[in-house]
Amino acid sequence: MNLKTETILEQIDDLFNARSVAIIGVPRGFKAGKLFLLALLDQGYTGAIYPVNPLAKDIDGLKCYPTLSAVPGPVDLAIVLTPHDQTLGVVKECAQKGVKGVVLFTAGYKETGTEAGAALEAEIVALARSSGMRLIGPNGMGLYCPKTGLSFFPRLSKVSGPIGLISHSGSLTNILGFMGPRKNLCFSKVVSLGNECDLSTQDLLAYLGQDHDTRVIGAYIEGIQNGPAFLKALRRASLNKPVVLWKMGLTEEGSRAAASHTGAMAGKRPIWEGVVAQGGGIAVEGFEAFADTLMAFSLLPHTIGRRVAVISGPGGLAVSAAEACGKEGLQLADLSAATRQALKALIPAVGTSAQNPVDVGLTASIDIELYIQSVRIAAADPGVDLLVIIGIGLSPEINRHYTEALIQARNEYQKPFVMVNIPGFEPELGQRFCEAGIPFFDSAERAMAGLSRIIQYRQWRQVQTEPDLETEHQCELKGWPKINFPSPAGRLSEYQAKQFLAAHGIPVTREILVRTADELPAAMTFIGYPLVMKGASGAVDHKTEKGIVITDIRTEAEAQAAFHRIMVRLEGDGKAVLVQEMIQGQRELVAGMVRDPQFGPCVMFGLGGIFTEILQDRAFRVAPLLRQDALELMGAIAGRGILEGVRGMPPVDKQALADVLMALGRIGLAHDNIDQIDINPLIIQGDRPVAVDALIILK
Amino acid sequence: MNLKTETILEQIDDLFNARSVAIIGVPRGFKAGKLFLLALLDQGYTGAIYPVNPLAKDIDGLKCYPTLSAVPGPVDLAIVLTPHDQTLGVVKECAQKGVKGVVLFTAGYKETGTEAGAALEAEIVALARSSGMRLIGPNGMGLYCPKTGLSFFPRLSKVSGPIGLISHSGSLTNILGFMGPRKNLCFSKVVSLGNECDLSTQDLLAYLGQDHDTRVIGAYIEGIQNGPAFLKALRRASLNKPVVLWKMGLTEEGSRAAASHTGAMAGKRPIWEGVVAQGGGIAVEGFEAFADTLMAFSLLPHTIGRRVAVISGPGGLAVSAAEACGKEGLQLADLSAATRQALKALIPAVGTSAQNPVDVGLTASIDIELYIQSVRIAAADPGVDLLVIIGIGLSPEINRHYTEALIQARNEYQKPFVMVNIPGFEPELGQRFCEAGIPFFDSAERAMAGLSRIIQYRQWRQVQTEPDLETEHQCELKGWPKINFPSPAGRLSEYQAKQFLAAHGIPVTREILVRTADELPAAMTFIGYPLVMKGASGAVDHKTEKGIVITDIRTEAEAQAAFHRIMVRLEGDGKAVLVQEMIQGQRELVAGMVRDPQFGPCVMFGLGGIFTEILQDRAFRVAPLLRQDALELMGAIAGRGILEGVRGMPPVDKQALADVLMALGRIGLAHDNIDQIDINPLIIQGDRPVAVDALIILK
């Protein structure tokens, strides 16, 4: 961690621990801005609160100041509610007052899509930077921290807990803070970032990643401004604790909505999937999945196993829980003979099952002890890692007893329990389970999905070697030649592209550029049969479609004929024929480099040949790639089986393939003037990849 | 509809309209069996109720009879609660009494996995059949019908409604019947089938499909006993009304659980997906999706358009609703200029959006009219098909006003409204929306998924030509020769297989079987160059892996050499070489026929060549295939783009390909002794498919 990062983390910490807050522009009447004042009062904030409004002497019983400079003591945090056209003046005042951080609530900046809005935002940022203040927003609600009493909305939970939350939407943090107690979602530190003109998602990821009050991080993200910094912060935080990510802008509809909400830039789903995989994030889609996953990570240990025992009375829900278990990659635990024996002795003989899922039968809704004792028997089985319980009694009294008995059993057996709601369960009982650390999911499908995400995180964490990212991510870029090819078409020819790739360590076909028939015999001898000839005029783009690629040439006569056939069909200047060894291999891949507007150079890998466009089976990783990233990238495509020993072909040399992918990332970082690289096909010859055709597009 | 079907439908109708019910083996005390009696009393059943128990004079104030024959009047429906070892005698008594239908509640039959259990079940069925009685169960709960007062569990809703429900799980029907009023899920006729030893899912599909009280059908299915009959019933019902299917047993875990619950047989997911597509079903996974979809279909018109306007206060939820909209294939409506103008005039200038999704801003939580008026403005826009509304006020009073105002707006504009829950919304308000016919979903993601399923059904229904299924499904099978090849290996040789396929109209490679070098020249002349030679001994299985396939032979000398090379490598008797035209084409497909234990012969289609196993990109349809089924099957694989004009290749002749797929289905139906057919590769030459290699496995 460099000094700058440390400074930012201290600055953020200062804001969450602000000892005085000024609310500038707080309205006298009951308007939206009033909620900020009500929020601090409701949360019991013990620091100084300074309402600022030139038109009022006091507001809601608090003395009101005409200007910020009129406030007697120091102000750590200023919440600015004035319209955007007055904000610049107010921020100047904040700087003069020595405020540490400013929350800009008002909208009207970048998200309007106007130049004026963006310019104003930039001016405010420049001002803050020059005076050492940090900004949150604009179009954001600021900080909520039950421990220090900061809040931006009344009636949010007052209980501190393990969840750190970063959000581009203020209302989402309100809703979670409001519903929190029902699911025991308790927050350490919450920030609503809005347009994040200054403090950004990655700054907060870095902060919460090392915050001792935070055990799990959630982030609702509309857009990412500095992709590489975000990825680095994500990976670093994920090494310490799970980071649950709900990302907008992965569909066209969502992108447009995000742009008009917080000025966020759209992202591409496959790139985002690569970022999540590289950074160890846990990606979810939808509010329910987001809240469920935060609940699971905050209530359950992160070391749970995958052997699940399901205890259910409703037979259909038992079966559907088993189905969901299989779908999410969990296992139904094999109950021991002793466990099955004990269950058989307990539950009725017919209409039940002493196998897993345990179906205790309809009678259990009358005799609730059948549930309780079955749960105890299963919990005692050493082959069971955790219990998923689906059951309910016929009256509120029975269910209160049931709830406490299950909590007691969990405490005795010290094994994770998970409850599944059955409509009709009293909501307060669900809340009681959550308070006791037993997550209460609305359905078996959602319970299994939540558990599976914990296991997914555990697996990612286990294989991380914790390389020193700073060192590891440095790559040897010095001394590489810049591209210096003539390129009137804005791109390199196949021959030039492959020369360039070869110079960077990527294996390519042996080939010679031939301009006259006289040069052919020497080329033939050098390359050897069978060979391929391709027209090489700069004007030609889709070679296979214009009859200027001839394969499997076996004699000099065939070669001469092919040469003339191609030359006749070529158009434009610089006609030539590329004489190329013919690579034998049925496995055609594609590899390349693209520049993502948010994440910079990214390496692409997928199925090649005619399947490139048809299947779009490709995945991405952000450059630079660790060797581990490259190996995971190969495993991220649906057709990954092609890399194994199929149909008598040897398994692909994955280290050699990783070298190609890592080289493409390094090239992307080193050569700003390359916009895109496509190696297609990258054919597997024997067990090693060879670039058979390549396209390099320059900026 | 044939006479037998009509009879079954009348028999089922008689059961739902039973005028007297005997409960045989009803317990005196409060045990599970007592719930059946309590259910009828609770539901206000007005027919005669006859408790039968030899040990009691009366039960819960009702006169009790020692035996069924002691009951004075006729008995339409008998609910049998006696243990399974007494059931046979009781069912005999029912037959003597002239009972119309028997519900067998007790378990202990096929689902135990024992021979004795299955045998007892079969004996009971035989007895019932011979006496014209219908059976429900065993291991099932029977009938719930608010209109006639039948019920199997106390406290189920007493309100009749449009949903017909078929379930292998009794508890699932209880839960839906119990929670129903909260979401306005109201049922016409519900049946809990258990092991379905007699009346089956397809019988009930046929019944509910033509039932005038039923507008949407839901089915929770653990297993299917007669696949073709099920498919026929599904398709017929789907032509009349939507059928929502929640199927278990698509994972290994779920299959095992379903087997021990109702003795159901496991199914394969890709076959099931084919069945759903052919039958027009709406497949869902999970309890929430099942309930959501039933709610959507029962409250909304089935003709909704896809242009959605989202009205939201919470900006983050607006963005996520837009995202879900895109993901589910719905469209965000383009609001007219007038609509946007009116919205701009209404809502605050900053921190909002007058685009779709409409973000009315934080202020709306204080000024609820902003929501109400925005909804009215959007509802008036002719470019908007339906409204999805996400918003809430700060107090219960405000929200009651809000609810009624939105219901009124819906009534005025006569456009479908959909509400999305925000945690904190009072549950009774959600119930009020549903009562008014406005579905209330727990999240935007689930709302969009529900809407998308309605549109999916509408689309399916629109393209159905309503062929007379009985006629259409007849296919010309007469006069086809049975296979009469020698097949010591239990399978046909490539040559035999292709002769057989060709005889059934499937285009295959031209080829000649050659046993001696003398026969070669004539074969060369007949086939023409380039050609392929393949070893044809019966002992060889994976040809490409043993060096006995030589392609691209261009001269007689090459042919002679190849012949000898192959003959030397062949083992066993009957050595020969297949001389075959070489099919030129980059597009390799696979087509075939498999026998599914539940659905019988199914046609398989997918990507072939080396991708067959790697991508497993294949789909299935049950034989026989309508032409429309064959065309849809081609569109059901991920790589369907390969059939279009790609890389300069012509689009595939889909009618020719459909002929192949339909022929495979007919062969499967006509030839019981064929277990499996694999045509791989089926190469596209030009635009037409040719079977290049084929395997036929006999039973």
Side-chain angles (χ1 to χ4, degrees), chain B residues 599-673:
Chain B
F599 289 93
C602 294
V603 175
M604 180 264 286
F605 172 72
L607 290 183
I610 71 164
F611 288 102
T612 315
E613 292 85 24
I614 290 165
L615 291 174
Q616 305 265 342
D617 183 18
R618 62 185 71 164
F620 295 80
R621 291 293 184 271
V622 178
L625 273 65
L626 303 177
R627 183 161 292 274
Q628 181 180 302
D629 293 329
L631 294 169
E632 282 174 10
L633 175 53
M634 295 174 210
I637 64 168
R640 58 187 164 273
I642 204 172
L643 303 179
E644 308 307 325
V646 282
R647 298 217 166 184
M649 296 181 275
V652 173
D653 180 339
K654 297 216 177 105
Q655 299 302 333
L657 190 49
D659 289 339
V660 172
L661 299 174
M662 291 163 74
L664 285 166
R666 282 196 300 268
I667 294 171
L669 287 171
H671 297 279
D672 289 345
N673 57 336

Side-chain angles (χ1 to χ4, degrees), chain B residues 401-605:
Chain B
H401 164 67
Y402 174 54
T403 303
E404 297 307 321
L406 290 187
I407 292 170
Q408 194 187 329
R410 195 279 317 263
N411 293 343
E412 271 178 52
Y413 292 97
Q414 287 293 314
K415 214 167 251 190
F417 283 19
V418 167
M419 293 299 299
V420 171
N421 188 28
I422 295 182
F425 222 106
E426 292 74 19
E428 62 275 16
L429 294 183
Q431 183 163 342
R432 172 74 187 111
F433 276 117
C434 288
E435 278 167 12
I438 298 178
F440 188 82
F441 288 95
D442 278 356
S443 69
E445 292 78 20
R446 285 164 62 180
M448 298 298 176
L451 294 171
S452 129
R453 290 189 193 110
I454 297 182
I455 289 170
Q456 169 200 330
Y457 173 68
R458 196 197 65 196
Q459 287 179 326
W460 180 86
R461 188 61 196 79
Q462 277 170 350
V463 299
Q464 297 311 308
T465 46
E466 272 194 79
D468 178 340
L469 290 177
E470 302 298 330
T471 316
E472 187 85 17
H473 271 186
Q474 292 300 336
C475 48
E476 193 45 72
L477 303 175
K478 289 165 216 153
W480 282 18
K482 289 282 165 190
I483 291 186
N484 190 19
F485 288 107
S487 55
R491 58 183 192 75
L492 301 191
S493 72
E494 175 181 345
Y495 180 68
Q496 291 169 330
K498 284 199 274 189
Q499 283 203 307
F500 176 79
L501 294 174
H504 291 79
I506 294 176
V508 303
T509 43
R510 280 185 304 120
E511 57 196 30
I512 294 178
L513 204 57
V514 172
R515 288 175 202 282
T516 64
D518 303 348
E519 300 166 36
L520 265 183
M524 310 285 102
T525 310
F526 178 71
I527 303 291
Y529 299 105
L531 51 78
V532 173
M533 291 170 78
K534 297 178 178 175
S537 144
V540 177
D541 230 30
H542 296 286
K543 303 186 199 90
T544 51
E545 288 164 27
K546 295 187 180 167
I548 58 161
V549 173
I550 297 171
T551 62
D552 201 10
I553 294 164
R554 298 182 186 194
T555 63
E556 187 170 336
E558 284 179 10
Q560 288 288 355
F563 180 81
H564 292 293
R565 208 153 81 219
I566 292 172
M567 288 299 267
V568 165
R569 295 191 188 181
L570 286 179
E571 290 160 19
D573 298 331
K575 289 186 193 185
V577 168
L578 194 56
V579 177
Q580 198 170 76
E581 65 172 324
M582 187 161 124
I583 297 295
Q584 314 268 1
Q586 289 182 66
R587 294 181 282 186
E588 300 193 355
L589 304 170
V590 60
M593 189 279 297
V594 297
R595 285 190 193 277
D596 182 74
Q598 288 169 67
F599 289 93
C602 294
V603 175
M604 180 264 286
F605 172 72

Side-chain angles (χ1 to χ4, degrees), chain B residues 120-323:
Chain B
L120 178 58
E121 196 171 305
E123 198 173 353
I124 291 172
V125 172
L127 174 60
R129 293 256 159 94
S130 70
S131 54
M133 279 190 316
R134 303 313 308 233
L135 300 176
I136 295 174
N139 197 14
M141 298 191 64
L143 306 174
Y144 159 48
C145 176
K147 190 174 169 185
T148 59
L150 287 176
S151 177
F152 39 62
F153 209 78
R155 289 167 64 196
L156 302 188
S157 168
K158 294 175 184 65
V159 184
S160 272
I163 305 171
L165 187 64
I166 306 166
S167 176
H168 284 132
S169 158
S171 51
L172 191 84
T173 58
N174 292 345
I175 294 166
L176 285 166
F178 178 70
M179 71 171 273
R182 274 205 288 143
K183 295 283 187 182
N184 200 2
L185 294 175
C186 297
F187 297 92
S188 55
K189 281 149 188 172
V190 175
V191 57
S192 156
L193 281 177
N195 297 13
E196 59 172 61
C197 71
D198 176 34
L199 282 180
S200 65
T201 307
Q202 61 263 25
D203 295 331
L204 270 297
L205 271 178
Y207 174 76
L208 295 174
Q210 54 77 61
D211 176 41
H212 294 299
D213 295 337
T214 301
R215 208 165 68 87
V216 48
I217 299 172
Y220 167 88
I221 299 173
E222 295 197 349
I224 289 165
Q225 303 197 18
N226 181 341
F230 171 84
L231 174 55
K232 194 184 276 189
L234 171 62
R235 188 172 149 84
R236 200 186 287 279
S238 297
L239 288 170
N240 287 336
K241 57 195 76 171
V243 181
V244 182
L245 299 165
W246 180 19
K247 173 77 166 70
M248 297 294 106
L250 302 176
T251 70
E252 201 189 312
E253 285 76 3
S255 299
R256 270 188 284 134
S260 94
H261 185 224
T262 54
M265 198 161 55
K268 296 195 192 78
R269 182 180 285 271
I271 301 262
W272 173 245
E273 286 168 353
V275 169
V276 169
Q278 270 176 288
I282 299 112
V284 299
E285 293 187 26
F287 179 80
E288 289 170 311
F290 190 59
D292 280 355
T293 308
L294 291 177
M295 174 175 68
F297 275 109
S298 76
L299 300 187
L300 293 173
H302 301 172
T303 50
I304 56 170
R306 60 173 74 236
R307 298 172 304 171
V308 177
V310 175
I311 315 289
S312 177
L317 294 190
V319 177
S320 69
E323 192 84 23

Side-chain angles (χ1 to χ4, degrees), chain A residues 378-584:
Chain A
D381 189 323
V384 170
D385 292 328
L386 54 83
L387 279 79
V388 172
I389 304 161
I390 313 172
I392 190 173
L394 283 182
S395 79
E397 300 71 45
I398 290 174
N399 287 325
R400 271 195 290 278
H401 163 68
Y402 174 54
T403 304
E404 297 307 322
L406 291 187
I407 292 170
Q408 194 188 328
R410 195 276 321 263
N411 293 345
E412 271 179 52
Y413 292 97
Q414 288 293 312
K415 214 165 250 190
F417 283 20
V418 167
M419 292 299 299
V420 171
N421 188 28
I422 296 183
F425 222 104
E426 291 74 20
E428 63 273 17
L429 295 182
Q431 182 162 341
R432 172 73 187 113
F433 276 117
C434 288
E435 278 166 13
I438 298 178
F440 187 82
F441 289 94
D442 278 354
S443 68
E445 291 78 21
R446 284 162 65 179
M448 298 299 176
L451 294 171
S452 131
R453 291 189 192 108
I454 297 181
I455 288 171
Q456 169 199 333
Y457 173 68
R458 196 196 65 196
Q459 286 179 327
W460 179 85
R461 188 62 195 79
Q462 277 170 351
V463 300
Q464 297 312 306
T465 46
E466 273 193 78
D468 179 339
L469 291 178
E470 302 298 329
T471 316
E472 187 85 19
H473 272 184
Q474 293 298 338
C475 49
E476 193 45 73
L477 303 176
K478 289 166 216 153
W480 281 18
K482 289 279 165 191
I483 292 186
N484 190 18
F485 288 106
S487 55
R491 58 182 192 77
L492 302 191
S493 71
E494 174 181 345
Y495 180 69
Q496 291 168 331
K498 284 199 273 189
Q499 283 203 308
F500 177 79
L501 294 173
H504 291 79
I506 294 175
V508 303
T509 42
R510 282 184 303 118
E511 58 196 29
I512 292 178
L513 204 57
V514 172
R515 287 174 204 285
T516 65
D518 302 347
E519 298 167 37
L520 263 183
M524 308 286 101
T525 310
F526 177 71
I527 302 293
Y529 298 107
L531 52 76
V532 173
M533 292 171 77
K534 298 179 177 175
S537 144
V540 176
D541 228 31
H542 296 284
K543 303 187 199 89
T544 49
E545 289 164 27
K546 294 186 181 167
I548 60 163
V549 173
I550 298 171
T551 63
D552 201 13
I553 295 164
R554 300 182 184 192
T555 63
E556 189 172 333
E558 284 179 9
Q560 289 287 357
F563 180 81
H564 291 292
R565 208 154 78 218
I566 292 171
M567 288 300 268
V568 165
R569 296 191 187 181
L570 286 178
E571 289 160 19
D573 299 332
K575 288 184 191 185
V577 168
L578 194 57
V579 178
Q580 198 172 78
E581 65 172 325
M582 186 161 125
I583 298 295
Q584 314 269 3

Side-chain angles (χ1 to χ4, degrees), chain A residues 248-260:
Chain A
M248 296 295 107
L250 302 177
T251 69
E252 200 190 312
E253 284 78 4
S255 301
R256 271 187 282 134
S260 94

Side-chain angles (χ1 to χ4, degrees), chain A residues 45-370:
Chain A
Y45 178 66
T46 55
I49 305 175
Y50 302 114
V52 176
N53 182 334
L55 302 175
K57 291 258 179 240
D58 63 285
I59 288 181
D60 291 9
L62 287 171
K63 177 171 166 51
C64 187
Y65 300 87
T67 60
L68 184 63
S69 38
V71 169
V75 170
D76 286 348
L77 186 67
I79 300 169
V80 177
L81 309 179
T82 53
H84 63 275
D85 51 3
Q86 299 170 27
T87 306
L88 188 60
V90 173
V91 172
K92 270 185 195 151
E93 224 180 330
C94 290
Q96 285 154 9
K97 179 77 182 170
V99 164
K100 291 178 179 169
V102 176
V103 175
L104 297 169
F105 168 61
T106 327
Y109 300 85
K110 190 179 63 179
E111 87 286 355
T112 60
T114 63
E115 271 184 40
L120 178 58
E121 193 172 305
E123 198 172 352
I124 292 173
V125 172
L127 173 61
R129 291 256 158 94
S130 70
S131 55
M133 278 191 319
R134 303 313 309 235
L135 299 177
I136 294 173
N139 196 13
M141 298 193 64
L143 306 174
Y144 159 48
C145 176
K147 190 175 171 183
T148 60
L150 288 176
S151 177
F152 39 62
F153 209 80
R155 289 167 64 197
L156 302 188
S157 169
K158 295 175 183 65
V159 184
S160 273
I163 305 171
L165 187 64
I166 307 165
S167 176
H168 284 131
S169 159
S171 51
L172 192 83
T173 59
N174 293 346
I175 293 166
L176 285 166
F178 177 71
M179 70 170 273
R182 273 205 288 142
K183 295 283 188 180
N184 199 2
L185 295 174
C186 296
F187 298 92
S188 54
K189 282 148 187 172
V190 175
V191 58
S192 156
L193 282 175
N195 297 12
E196 59 171 60
C197 71
D198 177 33
L199 282 181
S200 65
T201 307
Q202 61 262 26
D203 295 332
L204 269 297
L205 270 179
Y207 174 76
L208 294 173
Q210 53 80 62
D211 176 41
H212 294 299
D213 295 336
T214 301
R215 209 166 67 87
V216 48
I217 300 172
Y220 166 89
I221 299 173
E222 295 197 350
I224 289 164
Q225 303 198 21
N226 181 340
F230 171 85
L231 174 55
K232 196 185 275 187
L234 171 61
R235 189 174 147 83
R236 201 186 286 280
S238 297
L239 288 170
N240 287 336
K241 56 194 77 170
V243 182
V244 182
L245 301 165
W246 180 20
K247 174 79 165 66
M248 296 295 107
L250 302 177
T251 69
E252 200 190 312
E253 284 78 4
S255 301
R256 271 187 282 134
S260 94
H261 185 224
T262 54
M265 197 160 56
K268 296 193 191 80
R269 181 180 285 271
I271 302 263
W272 174 246
E273 287 168 355
V275 169
V276 169
Q278 268 176 292
I282 299 110
V284 297
E285 294 188 27
F287 179 80
E288 290 171 310
F290 190 58
D292 280 353
T293 309
L294 292 176
M295 172 174 69
F297 274 110
S298 77
L299 299 187
L300 293 173
H302 300 171
T303 51
I304 57 170
R306 61 172 75 236
R307 297 172 303 172
V308 177
V310 174
I311 316 289
S312 177
L317 294 189
V319 177
S320 70
E323 191 84 24
C325 192
K327 201 177 160 198
E328 295 291 349
L330 301 166
Q331 289 163 11
L332 285 176
D334 282 328
L335 301 182
S336 72
T339 301
R340 277 177 287 143
Q341 203 51 48
L343 286 169
K344 270 193 187 150
L346 174 71
I347 60 182
V350 291
T352 63
S353 170
Q355 307 281 340
N356 189 9
V358 180
D359 179 351
V360 297
L362 188 66
T363 311
S365 61
I366 295 172
D367 179 6
I368 202 78
E369 287 301 318
L370 289 179

